[in-house]
Amino acid sequence: QVQLVESGGGLVQAGGSLRLSCAASGRIFSIRTMGWYRQAPGKQRELVADITSGGRTTYADSVKGRFTASRDNAKNTVTLQMNSLKPEDTAVYYCNADLRNNFYDDWNDYWGQGTQVTVSS
């Protein structure tokens, strides 16, 4: 019913930049929050950044000042600009959307398939 498609991952040297994008499509009535999570090997999935429909952002302490989340509500897209990347940012990054399929539905979480980000030292 809903697909989240991510793009933009890859390999970069420490200090470099990457930009992740995610587009949500399908049966969508309203999206409350869109964001990015990441999971490194052997670690739990953690919030990186999210952004509400009103533009309020939340960032993990480890990425504040380096990462910027933005959103286009009309296109149902969210991006994550990642600057000054560090080896510890290496992880699979997942797009997340908290949305309703129609007016009467509950809010539900949807996830993308994940995109690998590798930062070499």
Short mmCIF file of all heavy atoms in Angstrom, two decimals, residues 52-114:
data_model
loop_
_atom_site.label_atom_id
_atom_site.label_comp_id
_atom_site.label_asym_id
_atom_site.label_seq_id
_atom_site.Cartn_x
_atom_site.Cartn_y
_atom_site.Cartn_z
N THR A 52 8.70 17.05 11.40
CA THR A 52 7.25 17.02 11.36
C THR A 52 6.74 17.72 10.11
O THR A 52 7.49 18.39 9.40
CB THR A 52 6.66 17.71 12.60
OG1 THR A 52 6.96 19.11 12.52
CG2 THR A 52 7.23 17.13 13.88
N SER A 53 5.44 17.60 9.88
CA SER A 53 4.84 18.27 8.73
C SER A 53 4.96 19.79 8.86
O SER A 53 4.96 20.50 7.86
CB SER A 53 3.38 17.87 8.58
OG SER A 53 2.66 18.16 9.75
N GLY A 54 5.09 20.26 10.08
CA GLY A 54 5.26 21.69 10.31
C GLY A 54 6.69 22.17 10.25
O GLY A 54 6.97 23.36 10.38
N GLY A 55 7.62 21.22 10.05
CA GLY A 55 9.02 21.59 9.89
C GLY A 55 9.86 21.53 11.15
O GLY A 55 11.04 21.89 11.14
N ARG A 56 9.28 21.03 12.25
CA ARG A 56 10.08 20.91 13.47
C ARG A 56 10.98 19.70 13.37
O ARG A 56 10.53 18.61 13.04
CB ARG A 56 9.18 20.79 14.68
CG ARG A 56 9.94 20.85 16.01
CD ARG A 56 9.01 20.72 17.19
NE ARG A 56 8.47 19.38 17.30
CZ ARG A 56 7.19 19.12 17.48
NH1 ARG A 56 6.31 20.10 17.55
NH2 ARG A 56 6.79 17.88 17.59
N THR A 57 12.25 19.88 13.68
CA THR A 57 13.23 18.80 13.53
C THR A 57 13.74 18.33 14.89
O THR A 57 13.78 19.09 15.86
CB THR A 57 14.42 19.26 12.69
OG1 THR A 57 14.94 20.48 13.24
CG2 THR A 57 14.03 19.50 11.25
N THR A 58 14.13 17.08 14.91
CA THR A 58 14.78 16.47 16.06
C THR A 58 16.02 15.75 15.55
O THR A 58 15.95 15.07 14.52
CB THR A 58 13.86 15.45 16.75
OG1 THR A 58 12.67 16.11 17.17
CG2 THR A 58 14.55 14.83 17.95
N TYR A 59 17.13 15.93 16.26
CA TYR A 59 18.38 15.30 15.84
C TYR A 59 19.00 14.52 16.99
O TYR A 59 18.91 14.92 18.15
CB TYR A 59 19.40 16.34 15.38
CG TYR A 59 19.02 17.09 14.13
CD1 TYR A 59 18.41 18.33 14.21
CD2 TYR A 59 19.26 16.54 12.88
CE1 TYR A 59 18.06 19.02 13.06
CE2 TYR A 59 18.91 17.22 11.72
CZ TYR A 59 18.31 18.47 11.82
OH TYR A 59 17.95 19.14 10.68
N ALA A 60 19.67 13.43 16.66
CA ALA A 60 20.49 12.75 17.64
C ALA A 60 21.65 13.67 18.01
O ALA A 60 22.17 14.41 17.16
CB ALA A 60 21.03 11.44 17.07
N ASP A 61 22.07 13.61 19.26
CA ASP A 61 23.17 14.48 19.70
C ASP A 61 24.42 14.27 18.85
O ASP A 61 25.16 15.22 18.58
CB ASP A 61 23.50 14.20 21.17
CG ASP A 61 22.44 14.74 22.11
OD1 ASP A 61 21.63 15.60 21.69
OD2 ASP A 61 22.40 14.30 23.28
N SER A 62 24.63 13.05 18.41
CA SER A 62 25.86 12.72 17.68
C SER A 62 25.92 13.35 16.30
O SER A 62 27.00 13.39 15.69
CB SER A 62 25.99 11.20 17.56
OG SER A 62 24.89 10.66 16.87
N VAL A 63 24.79 13.83 15.78
CA VAL A 63 24.79 14.39 14.43
C VAL A 63 24.45 15.88 14.40
O VAL A 63 24.48 16.50 13.32
CB VAL A 63 23.83 13.62 13.49
CG1 VAL A 63 24.13 12.13 13.53
CG2 VAL A 63 22.38 13.89 13.83
N LYS A 64 24.11 16.45 15.53
CA LYS A 64 23.75 17.87 15.57
C LYS A 64 24.90 18.72 15.04
O LYS A 64 26.06 18.53 15.40
CB LYS A 64 23.41 18.28 17.00
CG LYS A 64 22.06 17.81 17.47
CD LYS A 64 21.77 18.25 18.90
CE LYS A 64 20.42 17.75 19.36
NZ LYS A 64 20.15 18.11 20.77
N GLY A 65 24.53 19.67 14.19
CA GLY A 65 25.53 20.55 13.59
C GLY A 65 26.17 19.99 12.34
O GLY A 65 26.89 20.71 11.63
N ARG A 66 25.95 18.72 12.07
CA ARG A 66 26.55 18.09 10.87
C ARG A 66 25.49 17.64 9.87
O ARG A 66 25.72 17.67 8.67
CB ARG A 66 27.40 16.88 11.28
CG ARG A 66 28.53 17.20 12.22
CD ARG A 66 29.45 16.00 12.44
NE ARG A 66 28.77 14.88 13.06
CZ ARG A 66 28.68 13.65 12.52
NH1 ARG A 66 29.23 13.41 11.33
NH2 ARG A 66 28.06 12.68 13.17
N PHE A 67 24.36 17.17 10.37
CA PHE A 67 23.30 16.65 9.51
C PHE A 67 22.12 17.63 9.51
O PHE A 67 21.82 18.25 10.52
CB PHE A 67 22.79 15.31 10.01
CG PHE A 67 23.77 14.17 9.87
CD1 PHE A 67 25.09 14.36 9.52
CD2 PHE A 67 23.34 12.86 10.10
CE1 PHE A 67 25.99 13.32 9.41
CE2 PHE A 67 24.21 11.79 9.99
CZ PHE A 67 25.53 12.02 9.65
N THR A 68 21.44 17.70 8.35
CA THR A 68 20.26 18.55 8.23
C THR A 68 19.17 17.78 7.52
O THR A 68 19.38 17.28 6.41
CB THR A 68 20.58 19.83 7.45
OG1 THR A 68 21.64 20.54 8.09
CG2 THR A 68 19.34 20.72 7.38
N ALA A 69 18.01 17.70 8.16
CA ALA A 69 16.84 17.06 7.55
C ALA A 69 15.94 18.12 6.95
O ALA A 69 15.75 19.19 7.54
CB ALA A 69 16.08 16.24 8.59
N SER A 70 15.37 17.81 5.81
CA SER A 70 14.40 18.70 5.18
C SER A 70 13.30 17.87 4.54
O SER A 70 13.47 16.67 4.31
CB SER A 70 15.08 19.60 4.14
OG SER A 70 15.71 18.84 3.14
N ARG A 71 12.22 18.53 4.23
CA ARG A 71 11.03 17.79 3.79
C ARG A 71 10.23 18.63 2.80
O ARG A 71 10.15 19.84 2.92
CB ARG A 71 10.19 17.46 5.02
CG ARG A 71 8.91 16.75 4.78
CD ARG A 71 8.30 16.34 6.11
NE ARG A 71 6.94 15.90 5.93
CZ ARG A 71 6.19 15.40 6.89
NH1 ARG A 71 6.66 15.30 8.12
NH2 ARG A 71 4.95 15.04 6.64
N ASP A 72 9.65 17.93 1.84
CA ASP A 72 8.73 18.54 0.89
C ASP A 72 7.39 17.86 1.09
O ASP A 72 7.19 16.72 0.65
CB ASP A 72 9.24 18.37 -0.54
CG ASP A 72 8.39 19.11 -1.56
OD1 ASP A 72 7.17 19.25 -1.34
OD2 ASP A 72 8.95 19.53 -2.59
N ASN A 73 6.48 18.53 1.77
CA ASN A 73 5.19 17.92 2.09
C ASN A 73 4.36 17.62 0.84
O ASN A 73 3.63 16.64 0.78
CB ASN A 73 4.38 18.83 3.02
CG ASN A 73 5.00 18.93 4.39
OD1 ASN A 73 5.63 17.99 4.88
ND2 ASN A 73 4.83 20.07 5.04
N ALA A 74 4.47 18.47 -0.17
CA ALA A 74 3.68 18.28 -1.39
C ALA A 74 4.12 17.03 -2.15
O ALA A 74 3.32 16.37 -2.81
CB ALA A 74 3.80 19.50 -2.27
N LYS A 75 5.41 16.70 -2.05
CA LYS A 75 5.95 15.56 -2.79
C LYS A 75 6.15 14.33 -1.90
O LYS A 75 6.57 13.28 -2.39
CB LYS A 75 7.28 15.94 -3.43
CG LYS A 75 7.17 17.03 -4.49
CD LYS A 75 8.52 17.34 -5.11
CE LYS A 75 8.40 18.41 -6.18
NZ LYS A 75 9.71 18.75 -6.79
N ASN A 76 5.86 14.45 -0.62
CA ASN A 76 6.05 13.35 0.33
C ASN A 76 7.49 12.85 0.31
O ASN A 76 7.75 11.63 0.24
CB ASN A 76 5.08 12.19 0.04
CG ASN A 76 3.66 12.55 0.38
OD1 ASN A 76 3.40 13.42 1.20
ND2 ASN A 76 2.72 11.89 -0.27
N THR A 77 8.42 13.76 0.34
CA THR A 77 9.83 13.40 0.34
C THR A 77 10.54 13.99 1.55
O THR A 77 10.14 15.02 2.09
CB THR A 77 10.54 13.89 -0.93
OG1 THR A 77 10.43 15.31 -1.02
CG2 THR A 77 9.95 13.27 -2.19
N VAL A 78 11.59 13.30 1.95
CA VAL A 78 12.45 13.78 3.03
C VAL A 78 13.90 13.55 2.62
O VAL A 78 14.21 12.54 1.97
CB VAL A 78 12.13 13.07 4.36
CG1 VAL A 78 12.37 11.58 4.28
CG2 VAL A 78 12.90 13.70 5.51
N THR A 79 14.75 14.49 2.95
CA THR A 79 16.15 14.35 2.62
C THR A 79 17.00 14.52 3.89
O THR A 79 16.56 15.12 4.87
CB THR A 79 16.61 15.39 1.59
OG1 THR A 79 16.40 16.71 2.12
CG2 THR A 79 15.82 15.26 0.30
N LEU A 80 18.18 13.98 3.83
CA LEU A 80 19.13 14.11 4.93
C LEU A 80 20.46 14.51 4.33
O LEU A 80 21.10 13.71 3.64
CB LEU A 80 19.25 12.81 5.71
CG LEU A 80 20.13 12.87 6.96
CD1 LEU A 80 19.48 13.75 8.03
CD2 LEU A 80 20.39 11.48 7.51
N GLN A 81 20.86 15.74 4.57
CA GLN A 81 22.17 16.21 4.13
C GLN A 81 23.15 15.91 5.25
O GLN A 81 22.99 16.38 6.38
CB GLN A 81 22.13 17.71 3.85
CG GLN A 81 23.48 18.29 3.43
CD GLN A 81 23.96 17.75 2.11
OE1 GLN A 81 23.20 17.61 1.16
NE2 GLN A 81 25.25 17.43 2.04
N MET A 82 24.17 15.13 4.93
CA MET A 82 25.15 14.69 5.92
C MET A 82 26.51 15.27 5.57
O MET A 82 27.07 14.94 4.52
CB MET A 82 25.21 13.16 5.97
CG MET A 82 23.86 12.51 6.23
SD MET A 82 23.97 10.72 6.42
CE MET A 82 24.45 10.23 4.77
N ASN A 83 27.00 16.13 6.43
CA ASN A 83 28.31 16.76 6.24
C ASN A 83 29.27 16.32 7.33
O ASN A 83 28.86 15.80 8.37
CB ASN A 83 28.17 18.28 6.24
CG ASN A 83 27.29 18.79 5.13
OD1 ASN A 83 27.23 18.23 4.04
ND2 ASN A 83 26.58 19.89 5.41
N SER A 84 30.54 16.54 7.09
CA SER A 84 31.58 16.21 8.07
C SER A 84 31.41 14.79 8.58
O SER A 84 31.43 14.54 9.79
CB SER A 84 31.54 17.20 9.24
OG SER A 84 31.72 18.53 8.77
N LEU A 85 31.24 13.88 7.67
CA LEU A 85 30.97 12.49 8.05
C LEU A 85 32.16 11.86 8.77
O LEU A 85 33.33 12.16 8.47
CB LEU A 85 30.60 11.67 6.82
CG LEU A 85 29.16 11.88 6.34
CD1 LEU A 85 29.00 11.47 4.89
CD2 LEU A 85 28.19 11.13 7.23
N LYS A 86 31.82 10.99 9.70
CA LYS A 86 32.82 10.30 10.51
C LYS A 86 32.68 8.80 10.32
O LYS A 86 31.59 8.32 9.98
CB LYS A 86 32.61 10.64 11.98
CG LYS A 86 32.64 12.12 12.31
CD LYS A 86 32.30 12.35 13.78
CE LYS A 86 32.31 13.83 14.13
NZ LYS A 86 31.97 14.06 15.57
N PRO A 87 33.74 8.04 10.56
CA PRO A 87 33.61 6.58 10.44
C PRO A 87 32.50 6.01 11.30
O PRO A 87 31.85 5.02 10.90
CB PRO A 87 34.99 6.09 10.90
CG PRO A 87 35.92 7.19 10.53
CD PRO A 87 35.13 8.45 10.79
N GLU A 88 32.24 6.61 12.44
CA GLU A 88 31.17 6.10 13.31
C GLU A 88 29.77 6.37 12.75
O GLU A 88 28.79 5.90 13.32
CB GLU A 88 31.29 6.68 14.72
CG GLU A 88 31.44 8.18 14.79
CD GLU A 88 32.89 8.62 14.90
OE1 GLU A 88 33.76 8.07 14.17
OE2 GLU A 88 33.16 9.54 15.70
N ASP A 89 29.67 7.11 11.66
CA ASP A 89 28.37 7.28 10.99
C ASP A 89 28.06 6.11 10.07
O ASP A 89 26.96 6.04 9.51
CB ASP A 89 28.37 8.57 10.16
CG ASP A 89 28.48 9.81 11.01
OD1 ASP A 89 27.80 9.88 12.06
OD2 ASP A 89 29.23 10.73 10.63
N THR A 90 28.99 5.20 9.90
CA THR A 90 28.78 4.04 9.04
C THR A 90 27.63 3.19 9.58
O THR A 90 27.63 2.79 10.75
CB THR A 90 30.06 3.19 8.96
OG1 THR A 90 31.08 3.95 8.32
CG2 THR A 90 29.81 1.91 8.18
N ALA A 91 26.66 2.93 8.72
CA ALA A 91 25.47 2.18 9.13
C ALA A 91 24.55 2.02 7.91
O ALA A 91 24.78 2.64 6.86
CB ALA A 91 24.71 2.91 10.24
N VAL A 92 23.53 1.22 8.09
CA VAL A 92 22.43 1.20 7.14
C VAL A 92 21.42 2.25 7.61
O VAL A 92 21.00 2.24 8.77
CB VAL A 92 21.76 -0.18 7.05
CG1 VAL A 92 20.58 -0.14 6.10
CG2 VAL A 92 22.77 -1.23 6.61
N TYR A 93 21.05 3.13 6.73
CA TYR A 93 20.13 4.22 7.04
C TYR A 93 18.74 3.88 6.48
O TYR A 93 18.60 3.53 5.30
CB TYR A 93 20.64 5.53 6.45
CG TYR A 93 21.77 6.12 7.25
CD1 TYR A 93 23.02 5.49 7.27
CD2 TYR A 93 21.61 7.28 7.98
CE1 TYR A 93 24.07 6.01 8.01
CE2 TYR A 93 22.64 7.82 8.73
CZ TYR A 93 23.87 7.18 8.74
OH TYR A 93 24.91 7.70 9.48
N TYR A 94 17.74 4.02 7.35
CA TYR A 94 16.37 3.67 6.99
C TYR A 94 15.49 4.92 7.04
O TYR A 94 15.53 5.67 8.01
CB TYR A 94 15.80 2.65 7.95
CG TYR A 94 16.50 1.31 7.92
CD1 TYR A 94 17.57 1.05 8.78
CD2 TYR A 94 16.08 0.30 7.05
CE1 TYR A 94 18.21 -0.18 8.76
CE2 TYR A 94 16.72 -0.92 7.03
CZ TYR A 94 17.79 -1.16 7.88
OH TYR A 94 18.42 -2.37 7.86
N CYS A 95 14.70 5.07 6.02
CA CYS A 95 13.69 6.13 6.00
C CYS A 95 12.45 5.64 6.75
O CYS A 95 12.08 4.45 6.66
CB CYS A 95 13.34 6.45 4.55
SG CYS A 95 12.04 7.69 4.34
N ASN A 96 11.82 6.54 7.47
CA ASN A 96 10.63 6.20 8.24
C ASN A 96 9.56 7.26 8.01
O ASN A 96 9.86 8.45 7.90
CB ASN A 96 10.98 6.12 9.73
CG ASN A 96 9.77 6.01 10.61
OD1 ASN A 96 9.24 7.02 11.09
ND2 ASN A 96 9.31 4.81 10.85
N ALA A 97 8.32 6.81 7.95
CA ALA A 97 7.20 7.75 7.84
C ALA A 97 6.08 7.29 8.77
O ALA A 97 5.72 6.10 8.77
CB ALA A 97 6.71 7.84 6.41
N ASP A 98 5.54 8.22 9.50
CA ASP A 98 4.40 7.99 10.39
C ASP A 98 3.18 8.58 9.69
O ASP A 98 3.06 9.80 9.59
CB ASP A 98 4.68 8.67 11.73
CG ASP A 98 3.55 8.55 12.70
OD1 ASP A 98 2.80 7.55 12.63
OD2 ASP A 98 3.39 9.45 13.55
N LEU A 99 2.29 7.72 9.19
CA LEU A 99 1.25 8.24 8.31
C LEU A 99 -0.07 7.53 8.48
O LEU A 99 -0.17 6.48 9.13
CB LEU A 99 1.74 8.15 6.85
CG LEU A 99 2.05 6.77 6.27
CD1 LEU A 99 0.80 6.11 5.69
CD2 LEU A 99 3.14 6.87 5.21
N ARG A 100 -1.09 8.11 7.87
CA ARG A 100 -2.41 7.49 7.79
C ARG A 100 -2.74 7.22 6.33
O ARG A 100 -2.48 8.06 5.46
CB ARG A 100 -3.48 8.40 8.40
CG ARG A 100 -3.41 8.53 9.90
CD ARG A 100 -4.66 9.21 10.45
NE ARG A 100 -4.77 10.59 10.05
CZ ARG A 100 -5.80 11.36 10.40
NH1 ARG A 100 -6.79 10.86 11.13
NH2 ARG A 100 -5.85 12.62 10.02
N ASN A 101 -3.38 6.06 6.10
CA ASN A 101 -3.77 5.72 4.73
C ASN A 101 -5.05 6.44 4.31
O ASN A 101 -5.25 6.72 3.13
CB ASN A 101 -3.97 4.22 4.58
CG ASN A 101 -2.70 3.45 4.88
OD1 ASN A 101 -2.64 2.69 5.84
ND2 ASN A 101 -1.66 3.64 4.08
N ASN A 102 -5.94 6.71 5.27
CA ASN A 102 -7.11 7.53 4.99
C ASN A 102 -7.54 8.20 6.29
O ASN A 102 -6.97 7.98 7.35
CB ASN A 102 -8.24 6.71 4.37
CG ASN A 102 -8.74 5.62 5.29
OD1 ASN A 102 -9.14 5.89 6.41
ND2 ASN A 102 -8.71 4.38 4.82
N PHE A 103 -8.55 9.02 6.24
CA PHE A 103 -8.94 9.86 7.36
C PHE A 103 -9.28 9.04 8.59
O PHE A 103 -9.03 9.46 9.72
CB PHE A 103 -10.13 10.73 6.95
CG PHE A 103 -10.61 11.64 8.04
CD1 PHE A 103 -9.95 12.83 8.30
CD2 PHE A 103 -11.72 11.30 8.81
CE1 PHE A 103 -10.37 13.67 9.32
CE2 PHE A 103 -12.16 12.15 9.82
CZ PHE A 103 -11.48 13.33 10.07
N TYR A 104 -9.86 7.87 8.42
CA TYR A 104 -10.34 7.10 9.56
C TYR A 104 -9.31 6.12 10.11
O TYR A 104 -9.55 5.46 11.11
CB TYR A 104 -11.60 6.32 9.15
CG TYR A 104 -12.72 7.23 8.71
CD1 TYR A 104 -13.02 7.41 7.37
CD2 TYR A 104 -13.47 7.93 9.65
CE1 TYR A 104 -14.04 8.25 6.97
CE2 TYR A 104 -14.49 8.77 9.26
CZ TYR A 104 -14.77 8.93 7.91
OH TYR A 104 -15.77 9.76 7.52
N ASP A 105 -8.17 6.01 9.47
CA ASP A 105 -7.16 5.05 9.91
C ASP A 105 -6.35 5.59 11.09
O ASP A 105 -6.28 6.80 11.34
CB ASP A 105 -6.19 4.74 8.77
CG ASP A 105 -6.74 3.70 7.82
OD1 ASP A 105 -7.72 3.02 8.19
OD2 ASP A 105 -6.19 3.56 6.71
N ASP A 106 -5.73 4.65 11.80
CA ASP A 106 -4.75 5.02 12.81
C ASP A 106 -3.44 5.41 12.13
O ASP A 106 -3.22 5.11 10.95
CB ASP A 106 -4.47 3.84 13.75
CG ASP A 106 -5.66 3.52 14.62
OD1 ASP A 106 -6.44 4.44 14.93
OD2 ASP A 106 -5.81 2.33 15.00
N TRP A 107 -2.58 6.07 12.89
CA TRP A 107 -1.24 6.37 12.40
C TRP A 107 -0.39 5.11 12.47
O TRP A 107 -0.43 4.38 13.45
CB TRP A 107 -0.60 7.46 13.25
CG TRP A 107 -1.32 8.77 13.19
CD1 TRP A 107 -2.27 9.22 14.07
CD2 TRP A 107 -1.19 9.78 12.19
NE1 TRP A 107 -2.72 10.46 13.68
CE2 TRP A 107 -2.08 10.82 12.54
CE3 TRP A 107 -0.40 9.91 11.04
CZ2 TRP A 107 -2.19 11.99 11.77
CZ3 TRP A 107 -0.51 11.07 10.29
CH2 TRP A 107 -1.40 12.09 10.66
N ASN A 108 0.35 4.85 11.42
CA ASN A 108 1.21 3.67 11.37
C ASN A 108 2.59 4.05 10.85
O ASN A 108 2.73 4.98 10.06
CB ASN A 108 0.61 2.60 10.46
CG ASN A 108 -0.62 1.97 11.08
OD1 ASN A 108 -0.53 1.30 12.11
ND2 ASN A 108 -1.77 2.17 10.47
N ASP A 109 3.58 3.27 11.28
CA ASP A 109 4.96 3.46 10.83
C ASP A 109 5.24 2.63 9.58
O ASP A 109 4.88 1.45 9.51
CB ASP A 109 5.94 3.02 11.91
CG ASP A 109 6.30 4.15 12.85
OD1 ASP A 109 6.18 5.32 12.45
OD2 ASP A 109 6.70 3.85 13.99
N TYR A 110 5.90 3.26 8.61
CA TYR A 110 6.37 2.55 7.43
C TYR A 110 7.87 2.79 7.29
O TYR A 110 8.40 3.84 7.70
CB TYR A 110 5.65 3.05 6.18
CG TYR A 110 4.21 2.61 6.11
CD1 TYR A 110 3.21 3.35 6.74
CD2 TYR A 110 3.84 1.46 5.42
CE1 TYR A 110 1.89 2.95 6.70
CE2 TYR A 110 2.51 1.06 5.37
CZ TYR A 110 1.55 1.81 6.00
OH TYR A 110 0.24 1.39 5.96
N TRP A 111 8.54 1.79 6.71
CA TRP A 111 10.00 1.82 6.61
C TRP A 111 10.45 1.58 5.18
O TRP A 111 9.84 0.81 4.44
CB TRP A 111 10.61 0.74 7.51
CG TRP A 111 10.36 0.97 8.96
CD1 TRP A 111 9.31 0.52 9.68
CD2 TRP A 111 11.19 1.71 9.86
NE1 TRP A 111 9.43 0.95 10.98
CE2 TRP A 111 10.57 1.68 11.12
CE3 TRP A 111 12.39 2.41 9.72
CZ2 TRP A 111 11.12 2.31 12.23
CZ3 TRP A 111 12.93 3.04 10.83
CH2 TRP A 111 12.29 2.98 12.07
N GLY A 112 11.56 2.23 4.83
CA GLY A 112 12.20 1.92 3.57
C GLY A 112 13.07 0.68 3.71
O GLY A 112 13.19 0.10 4.78
N GLN A 113 13.69 0.30 2.60
CA GLN A 113 14.47 -0.93 2.59
C GLN A 113 15.87 -0.74 3.17
O GLN A 113 16.56 -1.71 3.46
CB GLN A 113 14.57 -1.48 1.16
CG GLN A 113 15.59 -0.77 0.26
CD GLN A 113 15.12 0.58 -0.26
OE1 GLN A 113 14.02 1.04 0.05
NE2 GLN A 113 15.96 1.21 -1.06
N GLY A 114 16.28 0.49 3.32
CA GLY A 114 17.59 0.79 3.87
C GLY A 114 18.63 1.07 2.79
O GLY A 114 18.57 0.48 1.71
#
